[in-house]
């Protein structure tokens, strides 16, 4: 028998009672009795069906979605959560094959700011306030410790390092001018209040929040918050600053501060404790005037 010019089922050159499949290059090991298949070459090789009988030649063969042996060739449709998703598809989340979880919003539908954006804004604002504090209050901090630094400098010039180490707690405390300590601490708290209340009441966002595209609004309505609401929002941080100056109480202040920072990560409204005091929420986007 001559070599076929295309893939398909043909009379087996070694046995006339059966058919053998020719893959287009060589004879394969796949055979079938002639009683179950009619030798036939596909009319359209591009159809992707290995030279089988037309539908109806053999019961169960040639049915849509099956090969010539009756085996399924079409994959069953995937469960709904596995359906491909992408831009323009409902539920697209940026991950192929999974529907996006509902994004938390305010009661009127404005998307809430992510915890990452809030944390980033907190770091930026903290850095800005620290620089402003350095410029505004450094002179008071220096005057608070001026006598102590003079003593240390004099001992170093005389080569008498033991003089510093031998100071008693009472002598050390007496070297500090405590009125400047309270001036420096008061200016620091005032600067923090003016910074946050001023920006929130005029722009609904501090510089850190503006850089990250988030803003502060009331829970029940959009729009800029009042100076009173902004001050209420700063009441907890300012109180923490005051109580941190009191010995022993500073340990409690640490835990309150930590709770305030991590609260939005688990809160369904993504509110920090100071948001709950003021009745505010941090959202994506700007606030209308």
């Amino acid at each position: 028998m001559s070599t076929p010019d295309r893939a398909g089922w043909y009379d087996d050159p070694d046995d006339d009672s059966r058919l053998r499949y020719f893959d287009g290059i060589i004879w394969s090991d796949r055979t079938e009795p002639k009683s179950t298949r009619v030798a036939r070459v596909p009319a359209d090789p591009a159809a992707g069906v290995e030279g089988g009988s037309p539908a109806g030649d053999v019961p169960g063969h040639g049915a849509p979605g099956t090969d010539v042996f009756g085996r399924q060739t079409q994959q069953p449709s995937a469960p709904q959560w596995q359906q491909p998703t992408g831009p323009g598809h409902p539920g697209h989340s940026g991950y192929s094959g999974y529907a996006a979880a509902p994004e938390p919003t305010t009661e009127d539908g404005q998307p809430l700011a992510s915890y990452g954006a809030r944390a980033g804004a907190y770091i930026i604002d903290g850095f800005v306030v620290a620089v402003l504090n350095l410029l505004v209050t450094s002179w008071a901090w220096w005057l608070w410790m001026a006598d102590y630094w003079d003593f240390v400098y004099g001992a170093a010039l005389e080569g008498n390092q033991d003089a510093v180490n031998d100071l008693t707690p009472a002598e050390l405390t007496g070297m500090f001018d405590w009125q400047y300590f309270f001036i420096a601490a008061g200016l620091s708290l005032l600067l923090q209040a003016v910074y946050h209340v001023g920006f929130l009441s005029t722009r609904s966002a501090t510089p850190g929040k503006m850089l990250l595209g988030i803003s502060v609004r009331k829970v029940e309505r959009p729009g800029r918050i009042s100076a009173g609401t902004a001050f209420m929002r700063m009441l907890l941080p300012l109180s923490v600053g005051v109580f941190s100056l009191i010995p022993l109480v500073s340990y409690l202040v640490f835990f309150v501060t930590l709770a305030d920072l991590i609260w939005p990560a688990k809160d369904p409204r993504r509110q920090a404790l100071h948001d709950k005091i003021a009745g505010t929420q941090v959202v994506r986007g700007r606030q209308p005037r």
Side-chain angles (χ1 to χ4, degrees):
M1 177 183 291
S2 60
T3 302
D5 59 357
R6 67 178 65 176
W9 291 91
Y10 300 90
D11 290 333
D12 188 345
D14 299 326
D15 189 343
D16 292 339
S17 66
R18 65 186 183 187
L19 300 174
R20 183 180 294 273
Y21 184 72
F22 182 72
D23 64 8
I25 300 177
I26 61 173
W27 292 98
S28 72
D29 294 331
R30 298 166 57 187
T31 62
E32 274 197 21
K34 284 186 177 181
S35 59
T36 60
R37 184 185 296 274
V38 177
R40 183 182 179 88
V41 179
D44 183 6
V49 179
E50 299 174 348
S53 59
D57 285 350
V58 181
H61 285 251
T66 61
D67 62 13
V68 292
F69 296 105
R71 296 174 300 193
Q72 187 174 18
T73 58
Q74 295 181 355
Q75 295 298 322
S77 59
Q80 184 174 0
W81 60 271
Q82 290 180 327
Q83 295 296 335
T85 59
H89 288 76
H92 173 58
S93 62
Y95 295 92
S96 177
Y98 294 90
E103 184 178 24
T105 65
T106 60
E107 293 182 357
D108 54 8
Q110 188 171 9
L112 299 179
S114 67
Y115 184 77
R118 293 192 62 153
Y122 179 85
I123 293 172
I124 294 171
D125 288 327
F127 177 77
V128 173
V129 171
V131 172
L132 293 175
N133 260 318
L134 182 64
L135 297 175
V136 174
T137 67
S138 57
W139 63 273
W141 292 115
W142 171 259
L143 291 176
W144 172 52
M145 302 182 66
D147 291 343
Y148 172 75
W149 291 123
D150 288 342
F151 179 81
V152 172
Y153 182 68
L157 289 179
E158 296 173 1
N160 186 15
Q161 185 63 33
D162 291 338
V164 178
N165 296 332
D166 292 340
L167 286 173
T168 65
E171 290 173 335
L172 180 62
T173 303
M175 289 185 180
F176 296 122
D177 194 337
W178 289 97
Q179 66 175 337
Y180 287 108
F181 171 82
F182 291 109
I183 291 174
L187 286 175
S188 179
L189 292 172
L190 179 62
L191 176 64
Q192 186 178 4
V194 170
Y195 177 88
H196 286 276
V197 174
F199 277 112
L200 291 177
S201 60
T202 58
R203 304 293 298 273
S204 293
T206 56
K209 288 180 172 61
M210 284 187 278
L211 283 174
L212 295 180
I214 59 179
S215 61
V216 180
R217 53 164 279 180
K218 292 287 288 182
V219 171
E220 65 274 11
R221 58 173 176 79
R224 291 185 181 178
I225 61 176
S226 66
T229 300
F231 180 78
M232 288 297 293
R233 197 170 185 273
M234 285 302 300
L235 191 59
L236 180 61
L238 292 176
S239 299
V240 164
V242 172
F243 285 110
S244 64
L245 304 177
I246 303 175
L248 300 180
V249 179
S250 58
Y251 292 102
L252 177 60
V253 167
F254 169 77
F255 289 108
V256 173
T257 303
L258 183 61
D260 187 42
L261 290 176
I262 65 176
W263 204 274
K266 295 297 183 181
D267 188 81
R269 288 185 170 185
R270 293 186 179 175
Q271 288 178 299
L273 296 179
H274 59 266
D275 284 311
K276 293 184 178 297
I277 293 173
T280 57
Q281 283 182 291
V282 182
V283 297
R284 285 166 38 192
R286 298 180 179 179
Q287 293 304 308
R289 296 187 178 185

